[in-house]
Amino acid sequence: SDGLRRCTWNGSGCTAAPEIVSIPGCSYAAEVSMTDDGLYLYFGCGDPATGMVTIMYSLRQQDGSWGQAVPVD
């Protein structure tokens, strides 16, 4: 897998090919959930070197990209 992907849903399918989503500070995001307002992603961030998973969040930036991954306290 190439990681996290997104597409625009039109009610019956994606309007274009899914795009890879990049979250700075997390090389492998899984089990992603977005808040209802679309501003935050919460996810498990896996570290392939250690096998550890940290619960993190990211804030959508004004340009539509995702900000630096931050651990949830």
Side-chain angles (χ1 to χ4, degrees):
S1 165
D2 291 326
L4 188 60
R5 294 177 176 264
R6 78 174 227 13
C7 73
T8 302
W9 186 258
N10 65 10
S12 62
C14 289
T15 58
E19 302 169 359
I20 295 174
V21 175
S22 175
I23 303 173
C26 180
S27 60
Y28 182 79
E31 302 298 327
V32 179
S33 181
M34 183 182 290
T35 55
D36 288 341
D37 61 10
L39 295 178
Y40 291 89
L41 286 181
Y42 286 87
F43 50 92
C45 181
D47 181 344
T50 65
M52 300 289 292
V53 175
T54 303
I55 305 301
M56 303 185 96
Y57 72 91
S58 178
L59 175 65
R60 185 186 298 267
Q61 305 300 292
Q62 287 184 344
D63 66 1
S65 67
W66 291 101
Q68 181 73 28
V70 178
V72 173
D73 290 333

